[in-house]
Amino acid sequence: MFPEFEVVPAVDVQDGEVVQLVQGERGTEKTYGDPVAAAERWVDQGARTLHLVDLDGAFEGERANAPAIDAILDAVDVTVQLGGGIRTAEDAVDLLDRGVDRVILGTAAVENPDIVAEISEQYPDGVLVSLDAKEGEVVVSGWTEGTGLDPAEAAGRYEDLGAAGILFTDVDVEGRLDGVQTEPVRRLVEAVDIPVVASGGVATLDDVRALRGAGAAAVVVGSALYEGRFTLREAMAAVESS
């Protein structure tokens, strides 16, 4: 999935615009304009993968920004992983058939783990299971509901079901630009043999290096890029030189 460590820009879409939330809470969003323009900007800077999220879909349970997502798919020619509001195997397979490289399943995978195996039978590299953790507990439904699941234990279960990778979002630091926590990432990396993609809290180039050092296969970066803390090119260069 990630032959070498990647810095993956996030394009989170709400009401047809790019936004970043603080700790996933509605009402905290800051808006950054047109999704297609953002996607093209990151690709121009060298992104090999884009991380797309339909935030309205994540909260409401059904995809709400399909036109914006489709426009991005038409505009760029890089690997695309998409999450938010994908609740059935049929929805996931339809997206994979249309050119999405990986679907991100969070709530759907927690509520129905077998969906991972069902999709993976058709697309062995097509499922990235999203384990979003708050205070050490997996949360779902746009980070609003606790599940009682331990992220490392859950990751092993999804690996057995055929997940191609785990997307781990540390909700405690997400969107705050205060830095990352490496220990939760390290625990996940040690628990599974599939790639772990880290997300949440990145504020500096040192944070990117730290997550790589913790064993992550890639890191998703949102607010730090949009706020100009560093450029995508700088992040890629920092990793290559470390």
Side-chain angles (χ1 to χ4, degrees):
M1 180 181 292
F2 293 100
E4 55 188 36
F5 186 86
E6 284 189 37
V7 180
V8 181
V11 182
D12 296 350
V13 185
Q14 178 176 288
D15 295 328
E17 292 190 296
V18 176
V19 304
Q20 289 287 292
L21 306 180
V22 178
Q23 294 184 291
E25 295 182 7
R26 276 180 158 174
T28 65
E29 61 267 10
K30 191 168 182 179
T31 303
Y32 296 95
D34 177 64
V36 172
E40 290 178 331
R41 180 166 71 253
W42 302 136
V43 171
D44 288 344
Q45 289 191 22
R48 298 193 297 272
T49 302
L50 290 177
H51 177 84
L52 310 185
V53 178
D54 182 336
L55 286 173
D56 297 300
F59 284 109
E60 306 300 338
E62 58 184 33
R63 295 181 61 226
N65 289 285
I69 301 299
D70 289 342
I72 292 172
L73 292 174
D74 289 340
V76 301
D77 186 22
V78 296
T79 298
V80 170
Q81 55 193 43
L82 171 65
I86 304 170
R87 295 292 191 263
T88 68
E90 291 78 12
D91 285 345
V93 169
D94 177 62
L95 289 165
L96 292 162
D97 286 344
R98 288 167 53 202
V100 172
D101 296 277
R102 293 187 285 272
V103 292
I104 303 166
L105 301 181
T107 301
V110 171
E111 294 179 346
N112 176 24
D114 289 338
I115 191 176
V116 176
E118 186 177 349
I119 299 165
S120 297
E121 285 181 4
Q122 297 184 60
Y123 286 93
D125 297 319
V127 178
L128 193 63
V129 171
S130 176
L131 296 177
D132 307 334
K134 183 183 291 187
E135 298 179 354
E137 176 187 17
V138 175
V139 291
V140 295
S141 299
W143 304 339
T144 61
E145 297 179 15
T147 64
L149 295 173
D150 173 78
E153 292 177 6
R157 181 186 315 166
Y158 291 117
E159 180 180 23
D160 292 340
L161 288 167
I166 301 295
L167 170 68
F168 176 72
T169 300
D170 190 340
V171 179
D172 294 324
V173 296
E174 169 69 22
R176 294 174 59 184
L177 290 172
D178 284 339
V180 300
Q181 301 184 111
T182 56
E183 188 55 33
V185 175
R186 199 180 305 277
R187 279 194 69 221
L188 271 181
V189 170
E190 292 173 351
V192 296
D193 292 323
I194 53 178
V196 172
V197 180
S199 176
V202 173
T204 67
L205 295 176
D206 282 342
D207 290 329
V208 175
R209 295 187 188 101
L211 290 171
R212 184 189 186 190
V219 57
V220 174
V221 184
S223 297
L225 288 175
Y226 288 100
E227 287 295 306
R229 296 293 182 95
F230 51 80
T231 69
L232 181 58
R233 287 194 179 98
E234 288 171 339
M236 294 165 64
V239 171
E240 290 168 1
S241 64
S242 62

